[in-house]
Amino acid sequence: MHADGVFRFILKNLRNEHDAQDIVQDSFEKLWINHKKLDPGKAKSYLFTTAYHTMIDHIRKKKYSGSIEDIPETSNETFRDYSDLREILDEALAKLNEVQRSVVLLRDYEGYSYHEIGEITGLNESQVKVYLYRARVYLKNYIVSPEHVI
Amino acid sequence: MLYRMAINRHNYEIYFIDYHEGNLPPDREEELMAFLEANPDLKKEFDEYPEEPLLADQNIIFRNKKLLKKEESSPEFSENDQMAIAYLEGDLSADDKLRADSMLNEDDHVQQLHEQYLSTRSIADYSITCPDKAELKKKSNVAFLLPQYLRYAAAAAIIIFIGITAYFRFTPADEPRITSLPQRLETRPAGLIEFQADCLVLESRNDPPSSIQMSWREEGIPPVRLASIHPLAITPSPQGTYAAILFPRPFPVSGSDVFAMDTEVKQKSLVGKIFSGFFNKASAPFSIENKSNRAGKSDKLSIWDIADLGMQGINVLGDHDYTLVRKYNEDGNVKGVVVAGK
């Protein structure tokens, strides 16, 4: 079962447990519907692909309906005292767009190659690499910025 | 974006994307074209990027451009950034990795940069698990949850099928069945002279009942409870005793009928034996059945016998214990059938 991995990936993106659970269930439902057409070794990739696209649709719908919760912006005026690097990184991840965030999470959580991430997200390998590099630079700059220095 | 380093085989993708997205400055375009000439193997990859076929209408402008600006500055790629990320992602060639290793050992700044990029790696929180995983398991493709009426319909179809089969394959039983009684007139109880064809005849494999409630088909005749039962003929059989009990109509009748025991034993087919066994088992629970086997009627199985037979067949095949219980109205006609089971 890859349910936990998919769930963590979606939850990290949406930060809403209920929505993440719905998307995981939706992905598994599609998997069972199409399992005869699938190579058994591709089940995990299929799950992530389905979950990713369902999540993107979900985000777009919420954005369109105006119901998406804005990520609370960190004030640049006050120096925040962080005791946990993970918190800062989570905050930085939340500021990435969903494609860049997904590329980072698929790379870090699941260890997918550029090619595999490309299959999941519909990008080519070069795009994946560039998105990942740019996301890394952004995350690094966010972490080392004065207000986020631990 | 600022391009702090010249195009090379490690960063050409950025140039490709920015070129096709129209974000590459003219001086960098020249650099890109020169790079492509020097690296013709990348030309194919460069050409695979989708071109923008539509030209924007420059007359249409968006007024509130201020709203679109981001607070953060765009990420910048220095050569060291490029190398540190490539090192982190395992994208360096063997030679470049050796070079990067030596830089990491010698240059504190590079070492610090590497550690900063290391900290951008997200680590999954494995304590987070998907709730309700049971919901994700595959459900059975066939939900064998037929509505109750469909189950009864299916059972009825089987009963009818078995009944029809039995009807055509079943030879008349070898048990005595009452038809008429020409030679047994002397066994009639005293006082019972007149008999009508539609007198009720009861069959029992056990002892005759001590009393019975009689209903008559004719309207206006109240039910009669007979406290005294007079068996007209008792015939032993392997399954028990057969008693023919004739009840006179409680009003003057014209004409009479005679009754006799038909004890002729006919050979049954194998199918007939099987169904006969079912039939015997089915009828065993009923010591007295309200079968109005009218005298003079054909000795073929009634529709109820067939139904009982089918039901017993179902019981034997499915290890059930269902019985067909018939409900009669005051006129003696069947007003309903109930499938009863334990």
Tab-separated table of all heavy atoms in Angstrom, chain B residues 67-89:
chain	number	residue	atom	x	y	z
B	67	LEU	N	0.097	44.947	-8.492
B	67	LEU	CA	-0.460	43.827	-7.728
B	67	LEU	C	0.238	42.515	-8.054
B	67	LEU	O	0.161	41.547	-7.291
B	67	LEU	CB	-1.971	43.676	-8.027
B	67	LEU	CG	-2.851	44.851	-7.623
B	67	LEU	CD1	-4.275	44.625	-8.087
B	67	LEU	CD2	-2.835	45.006	-6.092
B	68	LEU	N	0.844	42.476	-9.205
B	68	LEU	CA	1.447	41.216	-9.661
B	68	LEU	C	2.869	41.035	-9.164
B	68	LEU	O	3.423	39.942	-9.258
B	68	LEU	CB	1.446	41.163	-11.194
B	68	LEU	CG	0.100	41.428	-11.863
B	68	LEU	CD1	0.266	41.420	-13.362
B	68	LEU	CD2	-0.912	40.376	-11.426
B	69	LYS	N	3.450	42.086	-8.666
B	69	LYS	CA	4.857	41.995	-8.284
B	69	LYS	C	5.013	41.226	-6.979
B	69	LYS	O	4.213	41.364	-6.059
B	69	LYS	CB	5.448	43.399	-8.144
B	69	LYS	CG	5.597	44.083	-9.502
B	69	LYS	CD	6.287	45.418	-9.385
B	69	LYS	CE	6.450	46.033	-10.767
B	69	LYS	NZ	6.990	47.393	-10.698
B	70	LYS	N	6.025	40.402	-6.946
B	70	LYS	CA	6.312	39.623	-5.745
B	70	LYS	C	7.272	40.392	-4.866
B	70	LYS	O	8.102	41.161	-5.357
B	70	LYS	CB	6.940	38.269	-6.109
B	70	LYS	CG	5.935	37.273	-6.623
B	70	LYS	CD	6.584	35.934	-6.824
B	70	LYS	CE	6.640	35.144	-5.541
B	70	LYS	NZ	7.167	33.808	-5.747
B	71	GLU	N	7.150	40.131	-3.600
B	71	GLU	CA	8.037	40.811	-2.654
B	71	GLU	C	9.458	40.276	-2.779
B	71	GLU	O	10.422	41.008	-2.730
B	71	GLU	CB	7.529	40.586	-1.223
B	71	GLU	CG	6.213	41.265	-0.940
B	71	GLU	CD	6.334	42.771	-0.924
B	71	GLU	OE1	7.411	43.267	-0.558
B	71	GLU	OE2	5.365	43.455	-1.305
B	72	GLU	N	9.517	38.945	-2.923
B	72	GLU	CA	10.837	38.336	-2.919
B	72	GLU	C	11.536	38.585	-4.262
B	72	GLU	O	10.896	38.653	-5.297
B	72	GLU	CB	10.745	36.830	-2.679
B	72	GLU	CG	10.092	36.439	-1.381
B	72	GLU	CD	8.598	36.418	-1.490
B	72	GLU	OE1	8.079	36.578	-2.604
B	72	GLU	OE2	7.942	36.261	-0.447
B	73	SER	N	12.806	38.679	-4.182
B	73	SER	CA	13.559	38.792	-5.430
B	73	SER	C	13.612	37.427	-6.098
B	73	SER	O	13.495	36.385	-5.445
B	73	SER	CB	14.977	39.280	-5.133
B	73	SER	OG	15.597	38.380	-4.240
B	74	SER	N	13.774	37.414	-7.400
B	74	SER	CA	13.826	36.151	-8.126
B	74	SER	C	15.064	35.377	-7.722
B	74	SER	O	16.109	35.965	-7.424
B	74	SER	CB	13.878	36.420	-9.623
B	74	SER	OG	12.715	37.081	-10.022
B	75	PRO	N	14.966	34.053	-7.686
B	75	PRO	CA	16.136	33.287	-7.291
B	75	PRO	C	17.287	33.479	-8.272
B	75	PRO	O	17.084	33.585	-9.462
B	75	PRO	CB	15.628	31.843	-7.301
B	75	PRO	CG	14.403	31.868	-8.102
B	75	PRO	CD	13.827	33.227	-7.991
B	76	GLU	N	18.426	33.534	-7.732
B	76	GLU	CA	19.602	33.721	-8.579
B	76	GLU	C	20.442	32.466	-8.557
B	76	GLU	O	20.555	31.806	-7.541
B	76	GLU	CB	20.427	34.898	-8.042
B	76	GLU	CG	19.672	36.214	-8.065
B	76	GLU	CD	20.467	37.295	-7.356
B	76	GLU	OE1	21.618	37.040	-6.952
B	76	GLU	OE2	19.920	38.392	-7.208
B	77	PHE	N	20.996	32.188	-9.689
B	77	PHE	CA	21.866	31.029	-9.812
B	77	PHE	C	23.304	31.502	-9.930
B	77	PHE	O	23.687	32.085	-10.937
B	77	PHE	CB	21.525	30.246	-11.083
B	77	PHE	CG	20.354	29.316	-10.921
B	77	PHE	CD1	19.073	29.805	-10.951
B	77	PHE	CD2	20.554	27.964	-10.756
B	77	PHE	CE1	17.996	28.955	-10.822
B	77	PHE	CE2	19.485	27.108	-10.623
B	77	PHE	CZ	18.203	27.599	-10.646
B	78	SER	N	24.055	31.261	-8.908
B	78	SER	CA	25.498	31.475	-9.073
B	78	SER	C	26.110	30.134	-9.470
B	78	SER	O	25.448	29.088	-9.385
B	78	SER	CB	26.108	31.959	-7.759
B	78	SER	OG	26.053	30.905	-6.813
B	79	GLU	N	27.327	30.190	-9.876
B	79	GLU	CA	27.985	28.925	-10.255
B	79	GLU	C	28.056	27.987	-9.059
B	79	GLU	O	27.886	26.772	-9.184
B	79	GLU	CB	29.381	29.205	-10.803
B	79	GLU	CG	29.997	27.964	-11.439
B	79	GLU	CD	31.278	28.286	-12.174
B	79	GLU	OE1	31.692	29.467	-12.167
B	79	GLU	OE2	31.880	27.367	-12.727
B	80	ASN	N	28.295	28.607	-7.903
B	80	ASN	CA	28.378	27.780	-6.702
B	80	ASN	C	27.019	27.179	-6.340
B	80	ASN	O	26.937	26.038	-5.890
B	80	ASN	CB	28.909	28.616	-5.525
B	80	ASN	CG	30.397	28.852	-5.632
B	80	ASN	OD1	31.085	28.161	-6.386
B	80	ASN	ND2	30.895	29.847	-4.904
B	81	ASP	N	25.943	27.990	-6.517
B	81	ASP	CA	24.586	27.454	-6.304
B	81	ASP	C	24.345	26.249	-7.217
B	81	ASP	O	23.880	25.200	-6.795
B	81	ASP	CB	23.527	28.523	-6.605
B	81	ASP	CG	23.404	29.532	-5.476
B	81	ASP	OD1	23.543	29.123	-4.304
B	81	ASP	OD2	23.172	30.710	-5.769
B	82	GLN	N	24.681	26.494	-8.473
B	82	GLN	CA	24.469	25.447	-9.481
B	82	GLN	C	25.189	24.165	-9.080
B	82	GLN	O	24.632	23.071	-9.103
B	82	GLN	CB	25.006	25.966	-10.821
B	82	GLN	CG	24.905	24.977	-11.964
B	82	GLN	CD	23.539	25.038	-12.603
B	82	GLN	OE1	22.898	26.086	-12.607
B	82	GLN	NE2	23.084	23.915	-13.113
B	83	MET	N	26.428	24.345	-8.653
B	83	MET	CA	27.225	23.176	-8.301
B	83	MET	C	26.697	22.508	-7.020
B	83	MET	O	26.601	21.282	-6.929
B	83	MET	CB	28.673	23.576	-8.100
B	83	MET	CG	29.600	22.383	-7.924
B	83	MET	SD	30.974	22.755	-6.846
B	83	MET	CE	30.214	23.046	-5.295
B	84	ALA	N	26.331	23.354	-6.064
B	84	ALA	CA	25.863	22.796	-4.788
B	84	ALA	C	24.568	22.010	-4.973
B	84	ALA	O	24.400	20.931	-4.394
B	84	ALA	CB	25.663	23.921	-3.777
B	85	ILE	N	23.672	22.545	-5.793
B	85	ILE	CA	22.402	21.821	-6.023
B	85	ILE	C	22.659	20.544	-6.822
B	85	ILE	O	22.117	19.475	-6.512
B	85	ILE	CB	21.387	22.723	-6.750
B	85	ILE	CG1	21.071	23.964	-5.908
B	85	ILE	CG2	20.100	21.955	-7.011
B	85	ILE	CD1	20.252	25.013	-6.631
B	86	ALA	N	23.491	20.668	-7.837
B	86	ALA	CA	23.803	19.486	-8.651
B	86	ALA	C	24.469	18.408	-7.786
B	86	ALA	O	24.203	17.219	-7.941
B	86	ALA	CB	24.717	19.886	-9.803
B	87	TYR	N	25.314	18.862	-6.863
B	87	TYR	CA	25.975	17.929	-5.944
B	87	TYR	C	24.918	17.242	-5.065
B	87	TYR	O	24.926	16.031	-4.869
B	87	TYR	CB	26.981	18.692	-5.083
B	87	TYR	CG	27.854	17.810	-4.226
B	87	TYR	CD1	29.009	17.233	-4.744
B	87	TYR	CD2	27.538	17.558	-2.895
B	87	TYR	CE1	29.821	16.423	-3.961
B	87	TYR	CE2	28.341	16.750	-2.097
B	87	TYR	CZ	29.480	16.188	-2.627
B	87	TYR	OH	30.280	15.391	-1.861
B	88	LEU	N	23.986	18.062	-4.570
B	88	LEU	CA	22.923	17.538	-3.701
B	88	LEU	C	22.036	16.547	-4.439
B	88	LEU	O	21.644	15.512	-3.899
B	88	LEU	CB	22.074	18.715	-3.186
B	88	LEU	CG	20.913	18.386	-2.264
B	88	LEU	CD1	21.435	18.032	-0.881
B	88	LEU	CD2	19.966	19.590	-2.157
B	89	GLU	N	21.739	16.864	-5.687
B	89	GLU	CA	20.807	16.030	-6.455
B	89	GLU	C	21.496	14.873	-7.167
B	89	GLU	O	20.842	14.066	-7.818
B	89	GLU	CB	20.066	16.891	-7.493
B	89	GLU	CG	19.271	18.050	-6.914
B	89	GLU	CD	18.139	17.598	-6.008
B	89	GLU	OE1	17.758	16.411	-6.077
B	89	GLU	OE2	17.641	18.417	-5.210
